[in-house]
Structure formats: C-alpha cells, structure tokens
Amino acid sequence: MIRRGVEEGNILTHSADSASFCLSLLLLLFFLSVSLFVDRFLYAMRLHDDQLRDISARFQAEMKKGLSAESNAAATLKMLPTHVCSTPDGSENGEFLAVDLGGSKFKVLQVKVRKEAGRVRRSVEMQEQTYPLPKELLIGRGVELFDHVSECLKDFLLQKKISLEKKHPLGFTFSFPCQQTALNQGLLLNWSKNYWARGLQGKDMVNTLRQAISRGMDVDVLALVNDTVGTMMTCGFDDQHCEVGLIIGTGTNACYMEELRHIDLVEGDEGRMCVNTEWGAFGDDGALDDYLTEFDRDIDAASINPGKQCLEKMVSGLYLGELVRLVVLKMTKLGLLFDGRVTDALRTKGKITTAHVAAMEQYKDGLKNTRDILLDLSLNPSPDDCIAVQHVCTVVSFRSSNLVAAGLAAILTRIRQNRKLKTLRITVGVDGTVYKTHPQYAKRLHKVVRRLVPDCHVRFVLSESGSSKGAAMVTAVAQRVTARRHQSLSSFRLSRDQLRSVKARMRAGLEAGLKSNSHSPVKMLPSYVFRTPDGTECGKYLALDLGGTNFRVLLVKIRSGLRRSVRLYNKLYPIPLEIMQGTGEELFDHIVHCISDFLDYVGMKKARLPLGFTFSFPCLQAAINVGTLVSWTKGFKATDCEGNDVVDMLREAIKRRNEFDVDIVAIVNDTVGTMMSCAYEDPQCEIGLIAGTGSNVCYMEELRNIEKNGLGEMQRMCINTEWGGLGEDGCLDDIITEYDNAVDRESINHGRQRFEKLTSGLYLGEVVRQVLLDLTRRGLLFKGRVTEALKTPGIFETKYLSQIESDRLALLQVRSILQHLGLDSTCDDSIIVKEVCGAVSRRAAQLCGAGMAAVVDKIRENRGLDQLNITVGVDGTLYKLHPHFSTVLQETVVALAPQCYVTYLLSEEGSGRGAALITAVARRDQVEM
Ligand code: 0WK
Ligand code: 0WK
Ligand code: BGC
Ligand code: BGC
C-alpha cells in the first residue's frame, strides 16, 4: 500500500485508525528516506518534464533530419519508409502465414481473416507456435538462422496439417532496421538487441527468407514489416484511429503515419505512409550525452553493438535489468548497500533481468520479490536494502517510460502539426514484454505522455495478438493489389502450350496463304525475288524506304569482286500524319519532292538512276516492279491507293513534277530488303524479320509450294508472309484480351492486322495505356485518378516501354517518364507500370517467336532436314532498342523449334541496301533476258 501511495502521491488517505496511522507514517518516512537517498544517488536518471520536453524537441528535430534526403544519412533516426500506405480498411480477407522474428519469442502463425455472411465485423482466427531460437544462431551464420526459420515454418505446416502444395501468402515481421523500396523488399541496415548473425547486413531479407524457404514449401513472401508496423496494423484492425505503433520489449521502437510529401526517400506527394522511426538509435550522435550516466556507458561498452542504439539501451527490456544490476553493484561497492559486501552473482552480467525489475516493482509483493531476488544473488539484504533496490528499479524503469513518453510526445506533436489540428485524437498500438508485464510501466507512460502533450487525446491499445495479425493485414493488402494486378496481367502470360498452338495456327496460316485464291489472313505475297545476292552485284542505285519510323531516300553504290562493298548516302524525311492519311496523290507528290531534294543533295538529278522502292505494306506483286497495294497498315491511310499499282502511282507523281526521271526497277517489302541486305553479309540468311512500327517476316519458300501461277522455273522465291494479318479470322480470339480489342477498336484499321497489333511498336504502347487505364479505373494505380493524359491515345509511345523496362532504370526514372507524360505516380505505381510494360512486351516477343518457329520449321520440313541452320536478317526499332524483346523472341524459337539453329543478324544499313541489291539483280536479269 505504501508503495502505491508513494506512486500516486496520496499515501495518507489509506490508513484506518490512530495506532496503525502512526505505524504507517513511520513506515512512510522510513520508506521515503531510503528512496530519497537512492534518488540522490541516481539524480541524473530522474528526468523532470522540462528535460523531457527538451529531449522531445531534440527528437522532433532529428525526425525532420531523418525525413529529408539531404540529411538522412547523418540522422540517427532513420525514418525508414515502410510502403504501408493505409491502416486496415475492412477489405482484408484470406488466409496468411506469418513469421515473427526479432522479439523475445520467435513465432510462426497462420492468420485467417474472414468476413462471415450477415456479420459486419470480420473475424480473425490465429494459430501460432513459438519456436526456440538457440543463442548460437543469433550470433552465427545468417543463412543458418534463416534455415532454422524455414525448418520451423515447415514444422508448423506439418503440425497444423496445412498443405505444403498450396501457395501460401506470407507476411514476415522482422524487427530490425530495414531499408525498403517496396513492401516485399528490405535491406538489413544493422542488427540490434542480441542479434549479430553474420553475412546478412546489406542483404534483402525477403530474398534471404525466400531462398531458405524455397525447398519443399510453396510460400509467397508478400510483405516485410517491422514489429512496430505490425502492431499498429493489428490494433488498427479494431480501432481506425490507430496510427502509431510502439514496442517496448527486448528492444524499443515506434512507427507512425507520416505525410508522404514529407518523406523524401519515397516518391509521391499525396496521402500518407507509415514510417519506422527506429528510435532506438536516438542519441547515437551524442544528442543524449548530457543525460547518459556512467551506468549507461558501461551497458554500451559491454554490449555487442557499442556506440549504437543509445536510447534503446536506456529504455528496453534487454538492458533495464542490467542497468539495475550495475547501479546496485556500484552502490554496494560504495558500501551503500549490503554493507558493501559484493557477491560474484552481483558481479555477473545479466544476473538481474527486466523480469526481475518488474517483479520487484510489483505493488503488493514487490519488496518480498526483491528480497527473494537479492537472496538468489547470494546477497543478505536488510529491509532498507530491499527498499533501496526496489527504488533503484523504479528510478531505472521510470526513466525508461519517461524517455518513451518524450519520444512519443515528439511523434504525436508532429502528427498534430502535420494535420494542422488544434487537438489530435489518436490511438497508439503497443506491444512488448516491458509494457505488458511491468506492473507500473503502462500507467506511468500514459500519464507522462498526457502531461507532455495535453492537446493530444491519446488512447493506448495493447496488442493482444502480437504483430502478426497486423502483418497479415499488410499481406492481405499486398495480396489484393498483387492479385488484382496479376489478374489483369495474367491474360498476357502465355503458356508453352498456348505458344505451341499459336505456332500451329501461324503454320496453318502460312500453308493456307500459299494456296491459290486463298483468303488466309496471312497473305503470303510473292516478292519475285528468287535468290539472295551472290556478290556480283554492282552499280549506283537510288533507293526509297517508306513505311517504317522514317522515310529515307538513299544513293547506294555497290562494288563487286575483290573490293566488293556497298556504300550508302541517305537522307531522312518526315512523313507528316496529314500526308500519311491524306490523298494518295499528296503522298506520292511528297515522296517525289523528297527524291528531288535528295537528288539535288547528291547532285545527280540528271542521272536517271535505277530505283528500288522499299514499300513496307502488303503488295500483291505480279513482277519485281509491279505491285498492287492490298491494304494500308500501321499509321497510313492515304486515299485512292489501295488496289492500285504503287509503282504506277510513283511514276505518275514523278511525271507530275517533271524535274527528273528514274528507272523504277523493283518494289520490295522491308522484310525482303532486310533479308537481302543481311544475305549480302551472310549467304545463309534466307529470312527477313521486321519488329518495328509494324511486324512482318519473309522467307525463301520452295516454288513448288506456291500455288500462284506464272512464277517461273527457279527453285525458290522469297515470300512476304504479311503475318501481321493473322487473327483477322478470329483464330487468336482466345489469347486476345479486352485491352487488345480496345486498341483495335481505336485503330484506323479496326479488325485488321490483329497479330501485328499484339506484337508491334505502333501498338504496344497503346496496349499498355489501356491496361493502365483499367487498373486506374479500378483504383489500383495512380490513386484511381484517371487523368486526361491517361485517356489520350498514343501518349504512351512504345519507346517508353523500352526505357521503362531497361534494368538500369531506377524507379525514379520510371517516375520521371510518367511525370513527363503528366502522370503523377508513387513508387508502387512505378513498379506496376514497369510490370505492365514487361507483360505486354514479353507477350509480343513470344508471339513473334512462335511465328518465327513456324517459319523456320516449315523451311526445315520443306527441305526434308532433321536440322536446319539458318540466319534471320532483322530490323526494326522494337527489336533493336527494347532491352528484352530480342532475347525473349530467340528463347521462344529455341523452345518451339528445337531442330532449327537460328542466327539473328541485325541489319545495320536498313532495307535500302537490300532494295538496291534486288534492283541490281533485277536489272541484270532484265539485260540477260
Ligand atoms: C510481440 C510481437 C513481436 C514483437 C514483440 C516485441 O508479436 O513482433 O517483436 O512483441 O516485444 P518483445 O517480445 O521483444 O518483448
Ligand atoms: C528499317 C528499315 C525499314 C523498315 C524499318 C522498320 O530500313 O525498311 O521499315 O527498319 O523498323 P521501324 O522503323 O518501323 O521500327
Ligand atoms: C529494432 C527495431 C524493432 C525494435 C523492437 C529494435 O532493436 O531496431 O526494428 O522494432 O527493436 O523490437
Ligand atoms: C506491313 C508489312 C511490313 C511491316 C513492317 C506491316 O504493317 O503490312 O508490309 O513489312 O509492317 O514494317
């Protein structure tokens, strides 16, 4: 009773009659005198409110330092972003595994969050198992520690009969400072408490756990959370006002919801994110030196991390008992206790634990417990020794709660100021053995906090079920976001079987297209190119290259024989949209205008050069220089062209200009030009692939297979497949997504070129934009804000995919691209955008790979070969510039056409050289005829 009286400062009200009143007054005076003498000895540990406010102010200053990118490195409060942007919102649902590592107990749990029918509140069911953590593991090799965690997880699944086959989402509570750039990633900055496992600092703890788990369990580590964050989320499950998480256990720490705009280390200015303050390190820079006592310095010197975790060593459970021991030891050595008789036990580190301190401060049995504990230390305590030691505990633990109160006051003040509130109503979720088991700790803390921040109405909620329920909530949010995202992206993931079937459908399209009068969407257009160059070509040629990103006019000088070479001079000319989609006459007049300009530029206007015209659109050719435009593709839609002979239209335009003349010898598709250009280097090149604005392939087909008449006696001819048309008959509808249909609907050639719209540069950016639009409309991206920018067709050019997907690009730069597009984004948004780009481009590359596999296998079978060695000449910005497109395409061909050894030769000079070579061959054939 006396102790409670002293604690609450109203002792005299308790005593009933005069005799016992005198006795209790005597006892009180005796008690107070001993306490006063201890108070004097520990004067430096007794912090009054002004000092606490001073500490709180220093703390606030350090928080600011930690939040700013410039000063974060020097700050002791690391203010670590947690990527938890909201407290539970009631939509969390599902079954989760949780691992809780870093507190006094290592636990594995299963958390089931269910929304029962007809019930408003969700129910949470938890199964948990505590596992031993042998000391040697805490200071041994890091991998062994995580192998132990993995073993325990496996044991838990077996014990609880939870299937090992089923994929389990897991939330990992890891109670140490981690630098996180995402919810499921975190680099360990340093160990603390009694952990010092080797080889893990600077490593990603999620990966480390995944590697340890990977053997024999299908577990998906979706979230890494600090125990303070888990505690905040656990308490937030029942109390929406819970926006601070506090741990006073083996270690100590706090987290809270900070305004995103104040967290420099994370992009985004709107909303909030939970910040893990890692306040245990407060004072590591000397900010608390004027409050440190010799005992604190001794604790630090004897710890496994001297100079680190200054505040933690003054506050948390790992150290409080030791602090008391060092004080009692010093007082004994000074003869102030136990008549100065020091025992070995009292000299032994760790002999007084925080549990002892809590026991000694019990209201009722405190003094008796103190006596028992001191007897266990082979001391022979007198009653005032017991009172004195008990009071040492009080001073030490009181200082701890006071320091926590000062830190908490700093956080609460900051939140109130952030929100410009006069008074702040908030809940603090708390956990930790010191707070839970120490008889007076909680009350003392609440009292001092309310005294230090009277304008904050603070409710303290003890986390009954540890931090794992909270970790499960965070995992549920992560899973929901990931699931929704994956759901949208799953339709872009093509299985090996699906790719095999695309290959088969392409093959069927090729076969059908070779038939006479076929209506195959794969048109298989004869090119009238019967062989690849043989090095005898020579002469000067003009070449036009229309249909790709740039329109080029080229002068090509070919030398044969020993000094054989091809030299090009070219000039790029823009083709304005209004010309692309104007009249055919305007288009060809524009082309002739460019030729005229070029001939001036090379001074050959009078030369009447032979010309090869690379025209990258489907043309039904009747000869090498006769080709009827079947249909425009890509961004072209000039009128009065389709169904007309392209060479005629060019000749007409030249006539209209009447300034120069050329001899149009050949019209070639860019795939054919590319094949020829590369075959000049590598005679084995018999396929031309364009993966650029458009998508297409040509190859040398056996003439016997081409059921189109009047094609002559040669063995083979190059066929322009126009594979872009595959799917126009609906044969790809099972893999075409709603996003593809949206792109097709908004295109200028609705219903056409379906394969091209899944695989080529003109469309991939649009497919990505459609996915982003959908994810935003569903609130999974850009905070659900559908901006005008996002609704603007063509804003997401395919070049951005290549940039965004390049591995060296940090998320920051993804953000700056999005910024440039007028899309405000967060870090998570950047990750999602990168994933969407990856899914869309990967599918495109795989589909091209499946198409190519069909072509090479056809050639192999044409030639009755078990194995085919062949080269593909490639061009196109998508293939050339995208960081992964070419690799994925090649891998797909290897997987789907294992009997074909395909070499890919990038066309450095473009198809213009090829067009000139074809012109040279055609010219010679004309002369010989
Ligand atoms: C229980 C939580 C755990 C946290 C621990 C801290 O579930 O995540 O680390 O409290 O208290 P301690 O066990 O260190 O006293
Ligand atoms: C460069 C070639 C040209 C072809 C283009 C395709 O010289 O004939 O049309 O590549 O790539 P794109 O420019 O469409 O990316
Ligand atoms: C760790 C914190 C943790 C705290 C409480 C400290 O030592 O650095 O990450 O939250 O202990 O467990
Ligand atoms: C055209 C093809 C061309 C391809 C690549 C497609 O749109 O139809 O003729 O080869 O784009 O440029």
Side-chain angles (χ1 to χ4, degrees), residues 367-386:
L367 276 177
K368 176 182 161 313
N369 295 342
T370 307
R371 180 170 166 68
D372 298 346
I373 290 164
L374 294 173
L375 288 170
D376 285 352
L377 297 172
S378 330
L379 294 158
N380 179 16
S382 65
D384 56 358
D385 285 336
C386 293

Side-chain angles (χ1 to χ4, degrees), residues 547 616-618 633-634 669-671 690 694-696 722 753 756:
S616 311
F617 303 94
T633 63
K634 290 170 278 190
N669 185 263
D670 55 352
T671 54
I690 296 287
S695 169
N696 191 15
E722 288 294 339
Q753 298 291 96
E756 178 162 80

Side-chain angles (χ1 to χ4, degrees), residues 646-664:
V646 176
V647 175
D648 281 350
M649 288 191 272
L650 181 59
R651 276 204 194 98
E652 291 306 313
I654 291 170
K655 261 207 218 105
R656 275 197 298 277
R657 190 163 183 103
N658 193 21
E659 255 186 39
F660 62 86
D661 193 13
V662 292
D663 171 14
I664 306 174

Side-chain angles (χ1 to χ4, degrees), residues 111-114 116 122-126 237 465 469 473:
V111 183
K112 295 182 182 168
V113 185
R114 245 195 289 281
E116 263 128 46
R122 286 149 310 143
S123 70
V124 177
E125 230 181 274
M126 296 174 68
F237 183 77
S465 48
K469 182 167 140 187
M473 296 301 146

Side-chain angles (χ1 to χ4, degrees), residues 135 298-299 302-303 317-326 329 344-357 360 373 376-377:
K135 281 224 168 340
D298 294 349
I299 285 268
S303 72
L318 192 61
Y319 309 99
L320 289 185
E322 187 58 6
L323 268 171
V324 168
R325 183 185 71 81
L326 291 172
L329 177 61
D344 290 349
L346 189 54
R347 273 190 235 292
T348 310
K349 182 177 179 195
K351 266 295 181 185
I352 296 182
T353 65
T354 302
H356 287 146
V357 174
M360 290 194 265
I373 290 164
D376 285 352
L377 297 172

Side-chain angles (χ1 to χ4, degrees), residues 603-622:
M604 300 187 80
K605 205 144 215 178
K606 299 271 170 286
R608 193 171 187 280
L609 289 166
L611 179 142
F613 187 4
T614 302
F615 185 74
S616 311
F617 303 94
C619 280
L620 186 57
Q621 291 189 240

Side-chain angles (χ1 to χ4, degrees), residues 100-105 107 173 175 193 227 231 247-251 431-434 436 465-468:
D100 187 347
L101 181 69
S104 54
K105 295 197 185 69
K107 288 186 273 189
T173 302
S175 313
K193 292 169 270 193
D227 54 354
T231 300
I247 296 283
I248 312 159
T250 317
D431 207 334
T433 30
V434 174
K436 271 186 180 164
S465 48
S467 60
S468 298

